[in-house]
PDB file of all heavy atoms in Angstrom:
ATOM      1  N   VAL A  76      38.577 149.899 236.643  1.00 93.00           N
ATOM      2  CA  VAL A  76      38.594 148.893 237.700  1.00 93.00           C
ATOM      3  C   VAL A  76      37.389 147.999 237.420  1.00 93.00           C
ATOM      4  O   VAL A  76      36.258 148.474 237.385  1.00 93.00           O
ATOM      5  CB  VAL A  76      38.515 149.536 239.097  1.00 93.00           C
ATOM      6  CG1 VAL A  76      38.484 148.470 240.169  1.00 93.00           C
ATOM      7  CG2 VAL A  76      39.690 150.477 239.314  1.00 93.00           C
ATOM      8  N   PHE A 102      50.223 142.601 245.664  1.00 84.00           N
ATOM      9  CA  PHE A 102      49.434 143.817 245.470  1.00 84.00           C
ATOM     10  C   PHE A 102      47.954 143.471 245.376  1.00 84.00           C
ATOM     11  O   PHE A 102      47.577 142.490 244.750  1.00 84.00           O
ATOM     12  CB  PHE A 102      49.861 144.538 244.189  1.00 84.00           C
ATOM     13  CG  PHE A 102      49.312 145.919 244.081  1.00 84.00           C
ATOM     14  CD1 PHE A 102      49.881 146.956 244.781  1.00 84.00           C
ATOM     15  CD2 PHE A 102      48.201 146.174 243.304  1.00 84.00           C
ATOM     16  CE1 PHE A 102      49.363 148.237 244.696  1.00 84.00           C
ATOM     17  CE2 PHE A 102      47.678 147.438 243.214  1.00 84.00           C
ATOM     18  CZ  PHE A 102      48.265 148.477 243.916  1.00 84.00           C
ATOM     19  N   ASP A 103      47.117 144.309 245.999  1.00 85.00           N
ATOM     20  CA  ASP A 103      45.676 144.104 245.957  1.00 85.00           C
ATOM     21  C   ASP A 103      45.066 145.078 244.952  1.00 85.00           C
ATOM     22  O   ASP A 103      45.065 146.291 245.175  1.00 85.00           O
ATOM     23  CB  ASP A 103      45.071 144.315 247.347  1.00 85.00           C
ATOM     24  CG  ASP A 103      43.581 144.047 247.386  1.00 85.00           C
ATOM     25  OD1 ASP A 103      43.072 143.394 246.447  1.00 85.00           O
ATOM     26  OD2 ASP A 103      42.926 144.492 248.348  1.00 85.00           O
ATOM     27  N   TRP A 104      44.576 144.569 243.849  1.00 87.00           N
ATOM     28  CA  TRP A 104      44.006 145.409 242.789  1.00 87.00           C
ATOM     29  C   TRP A 104      42.805 146.213 243.255  1.00 87.00           C
ATOM     30  O   TRP A 104      42.473 147.248 242.683  1.00 87.00           O
ATOM     31  CB  TRP A 104      43.618 144.547 241.588  1.00 87.00           C
ATOM     32  CG  TRP A 104      42.509 143.580 241.885  1.00 87.00           C
ATOM     33  CD1 TRP A 104      42.657 142.321 242.363  1.00 87.00           C
ATOM     34  CD2 TRP A 104      41.109 143.809 241.786  1.00 87.00           C
ATOM     35  NE1 TRP A 104      41.430 141.742 242.549  1.00 87.00           N
ATOM     36  CE2 TRP A 104      40.458 142.637 242.208  1.00 87.00           C
ATOM     37  CE3 TRP A 104      40.344 144.888 241.383  1.00 87.00           C
ATOM     38  CZ2 TRP A 104      39.080 142.530 242.235  1.00 87.00           C
ATOM     39  CZ3 TRP A 104      38.963 144.770 241.404  1.00 87.00           C
ATOM     40  CH2 TRP A 104      38.348 143.600 241.829  1.00 87.00           C
ATOM     41  N   GLN A 105      42.126 145.750 244.310  1.00 87.00           N
ATOM     42  CA  GLN A 105      40.917 146.424 244.775  1.00 87.00           C
ATOM     43  C   GLN A 105      41.204 147.794 245.381  1.00 87.00           C
ATOM     44  O   GLN A 105      40.306 148.616 245.513  1.00 87.00           O
ATOM     45  CB  GLN A 105      40.189 145.545 245.788  1.00 87.00           C
ATOM     46  CG  GLN A 105      39.672 144.274 245.152  1.00 87.00           C
ATOM     47  CD  GLN A 105      39.161 143.283 246.176  1.00 87.00           C
ATOM     48  OE1 GLN A 105      39.582 143.292 247.322  1.00 87.00           O
ATOM     49  NE2 GLN A 105      38.257 142.422 245.752  1.00 87.00           N
ATOM     50  N   GLY A 106      42.457 148.072 245.722  1.00 86.00           N
ATOM     51  CA  GLY A 106      42.823 149.371 246.288  1.00 86.00           C
ATOM     52  C   GLY A 106      43.010 150.448 245.242  1.00 86.00           C
ATOM     53  O   GLY A 106      43.253 151.606 245.586  1.00 86.00           O
ATOM     54  N   LEU A 107      42.884 150.112 243.974  1.00 91.00           N
ATOM     55  CA  LEU A 107      43.101 151.087 242.901  1.00 91.00           C
ATOM     56  C   LEU A 107      41.809 151.807 242.529  1.00 91.00           C
ATOM     57  O   LEU A 107      40.722 151.253 242.622  1.00 91.00           O
ATOM     58  CB  LEU A 107      43.668 150.389 241.666  1.00 91.00           C
ATOM     59  CG  LEU A 107      45.075 149.823 241.824  1.00 91.00           C
ATOM     60  CD1 LEU A 107      45.456 149.022 240.589  1.00 91.00           C
ATOM     61  CD2 LEU A 107      46.066 150.947 242.041  1.00 91.00           C
ATOM     62  N   ARG A 108      41.968 153.045 242.094  1.00 92.00           N
ATOM     63  CA  ARG A 108      40.850 153.864 241.625  1.00 92.00           C
ATOM     64  C   ARG A 108      41.207 154.443 240.264  1.00 92.00           C
ATOM     65  O   ARG A 108      42.380 154.684 239.978  1.00 92.00           O
ATOM     66  CB  ARG A 108      40.558 155.020 242.595  1.00 92.00           C
ATOM     67  CG  ARG A 108      40.208 154.568 243.994  1.00 92.00           C
ATOM     68  CD  ARG A 108      38.823 153.918 244.033  1.00 92.00           C
ATOM     69  NE  ARG A 108      38.592 153.294 245.320  1.00 92.00           N
ATOM     70  CZ  ARG A 108      38.587 152.001 245.540  1.00 92.00           C
ATOM     71  NH1 ARG A 108      38.808 151.158 244.572  1.00 92.00           N
ATOM     72  NH2 ARG A 108      38.350 151.505 246.734  1.00 92.00           N
ATOM     73  N   GLN A 111      44.350 157.012 239.056  1.00 93.00           N
ATOM     74  CA  GLN A 111      45.555 156.898 239.867  1.00 93.00           C
ATOM     75  C   GLN A 111      46.758 156.589 238.995  1.00 93.00           C
ATOM     76  O   GLN A 111      46.644 155.919 237.973  1.00 93.00           O
ATOM     77  CB  GLN A 111      45.422 155.785 240.910  1.00 93.00           C
ATOM     78  CG  GLN A 111      44.742 156.190 242.170  1.00 93.00           C
ATOM     79  CD  GLN A 111      44.763 155.063 243.189  1.00 93.00           C
ATOM     80  OE1 GLN A 111      44.500 153.912 242.848  1.00 93.00           O
ATOM     81  NE2 GLN A 111      45.055 155.402 244.422  1.00 93.00           N
ATOM     82  N   ILE A 130      51.871 152.225 244.027  1.00 91.00           N
ATOM     83  CA  ILE A 130      51.021 153.402 243.799  1.00 91.00           C
ATOM     84  C   ILE A 130      51.862 154.643 243.992  1.00 91.00           C
ATOM     85  O   ILE A 130      52.586 154.776 244.980  1.00 91.00           O
ATOM     86  CB  ILE A 130      49.815 153.417 244.756  1.00 91.00           C
ATOM     87  CG1 ILE A 130      48.929 152.199 244.500  1.00 91.00           C
ATOM     88  CG2 ILE A 130      49.025 154.705 244.594  1.00 91.00           C
ATOM     89  CD1 ILE A 130      47.761 152.075 245.460  1.00 91.00           C
TER      90      ILE A 130
END
Side-chain angles (χ1 to χ4, degrees):
V76 178
F102 192 79
D103 183 17
W104 65 271
Q105 295 170 334
L107 293 174
R108 301 289 171 253
Q111 275 185 315
I130 297 176

